[in-house]
Amino acid sequence: MRRTKALLPVSGILLALLGALLGGPATAAAHPPRPDGARSVEVGRYHDASGRITLAIFQSVAAPARSIWTDHWVPVEDPSMIAIGGGATGAEYPYGAYLTASYPSPDFSSWIVSSKDHVNARQAHELTGYAIGMKIDGVSKDQLRSWVASCSGRRTSPDPESAPQVTVRLPSDQCTLLGGGFQVHWTGQGNIATASYPDEAVNYGEPGNTWTVRSKDHQVADPARISGYVVGIPTSLPVGTVLARATAGTTGGVQHPSATSAPPNGAWALSGAGARVHYSGAGSLLWNVHPYLDRGLQLVTVSSKDHMVADAASITSWAISIRLA
């Protein structure tokens, strides 16, 4: 079990907040402004065993259909909550529309998602985005946002590559991982996500301190950079100690793999969703990272597919969950 530690000092919080907003030592492109009229609907609400942590999933559909969606905001509509996680669903058929971004807004009010179709197979599609909102009893929204900002960060791969990747670490060992996200900075035909996951995690264990993201071009060269985002919270809070677990599920050996994971039991509350595609040929591309509730169960389903070139692959879904002790 993780040892309880003191809260970060105020000066550390302010410095970490500034670093998170500016992007840390390797900065990415500026966040877009929130579009006027961005809206979502709540599709599920749940709690940890203590009853003091409340999380909710919000959903927003970008429509009407188009080939490319850039920076679709999914706001957390509950005014007492901040956004700590999320995901998106593009399209599986007939050709595929794939994910290029799934990351927190700088003020943690929303989750931002992007998608695109790909070369030789144009596909107009609606993009469904998801945001996980959180509040803690006895903690103000501003205080919670400050704590989460102090334990969050962003890092961008240094040079454009055909298959860029980057790992971003929690800024302090006094932080507990809530989840993470990615943003691919493509400029040509497209570079598409293949992984966004807690790479130090052990199934049914602590999720570790890092988040790794990967993407790739496909059929047509398009070197790109990728930004990874890590979202955390101080381990020791005035209301209790934050514990976290990572749970994985893997499916493999098919051209359209899909896998589902869930928190260990009802004591834990889903805070983040991760996916990792294991391909060995031309590539399998992420089109779905979906946190949701099904008859009271908290679940994460992730999906990928090959595109125009056959490539059987496996995929791992990660559910990050938390509780107060």
Side-chain angles (χ1 to χ4, degrees):
M1 182 176 293
R2 187 190 301 271
R3 187 177 62 185
T4 300
K5 297 182 176 69
L7 281 173
L8 294 173
V10 173
S11 60
I13 290 176
L14 294 177
L15 288 173
L17 173 58
L18 179 62
L21 295 178
L22 294 179
T27 59
H31 288 272
R34 173 172 170 168
D36 292 338
R39 294 289 183 269
S40 67
V41 295
E42 183 177 325
V43 293
R45 182 169 290 236
Y46 48 97
H47 309 270
D48 76 325
S50 75
R52 290 174 290 175
I53 297 181
T54 301
L55 296 103
I57 298 174
F58 298 84
Q59 177 178 301
S60 175
V61 179
R66 63 172 69 166
S67 291
I68 297 172
W69 288 100
T70 301
D71 296 325
H72 176 65
W73 287 58
V74 186
V76 169
E77 298 290 1
D78 186 324
S80 66
M81 289 183 164
I82 65 169
I84 60 162
T89 299
E92 183 177 11
Y93 294 108
Y95 303 115
Y98 308 102
L99 304 185
T100 59
S102 176
Y103 65 100
S105 66
D107 61 355
F108 297 99
S109 70
S110 309
W111 202 256
I112 304 174
V113 297
S114 302
S115 64
K116 69 180 299 295
D117 58 11
H118 203 52
V119 294
N120 302 321
R122 298 271 72 97
Q123 181 169 341
H125 63 283
E126 296 181 346
L127 172 64
T128 303
Y130 315 98
I132 300 175
M134 180 176 72
K135 65 179 179 180
I136 301 177
D137 289 352
V139 178
S140 72
K141 178 180 179 178
D142 287 344
Q143 180 64 80
L144 181 59
R145 179 165 45 212
S146 175
W147 285 341
V148 169
S150 76
C151 282
S152 300
R154 177 182 68 191
R155 185 172 181 82
T156 302
S157 57
D159 300 306
E161 297 181 58
S162 292
Q165 69 174 44
V166 71
T167 296
V168 57
R169 179 174 294 275
L170 290 172
S172 167
D173 64 1
Q174 299 179 44
C175 299
T176 292
L177 186 73
L178 297 174
F182 63 92
Q183 182 185 17
V184 185
H185 308 285
W186 61 275
T187 57
Q189 292 295 320
N191 197 294
I192 296 163
T194 60
S196 176
Y197 71 106
D199 68 339
E200 294 179 340
V202 177
N203 196 13
Y204 286 97
E206 292 188 2
N209 296 313
T210 61
W211 197 266
T212 291
V213 300
R214 299 188 181 105
S215 65
K216 70 179 297 294
D217 55 17
H218 188 77
Q219 295 182 282
V220 178
D222 185 15
R225 292 182 173 90
I226 189 170
S227 292
Y229 295 77
V230 67
V231 181
I233 191 170
T235 303
S236 180
L237 301 177
V239 295
T241 300
V242 181
L243 305 177
R245 287 292 179 270
T247 315
T250 300
T251 300
V254 294
Q255 290 179 245
H256 291 235
S258 182
T260 298
S261 55
N265 55 53
W268 301 84
L270 180 70
S271 63
R276 182 185 182 186
V277 183
H278 313 273
Y279 66 90
S280 57
S284 185
L285 311 174
L286 272 176
W287 66 268
N288 179 47
V289 178
H290 184 191
Y292 63 104
L293 296 182
D294 182 8
R295 290 167 289 185
L297 296 177
Q298 306 162 38
L299 301 168
V300 174
T301 293
V302 302
S303 312
S304 68
K305 65 179 292 290
D306 50 16
H307 180 83
M308 308 303 287
V309 181
D311 186 11
S314 62
I315 192 169
T316 299
S317 171
W318 285 100
I320 311 301
S321 56
I322 58 172
R323 68 179 179 92
L324 280 180

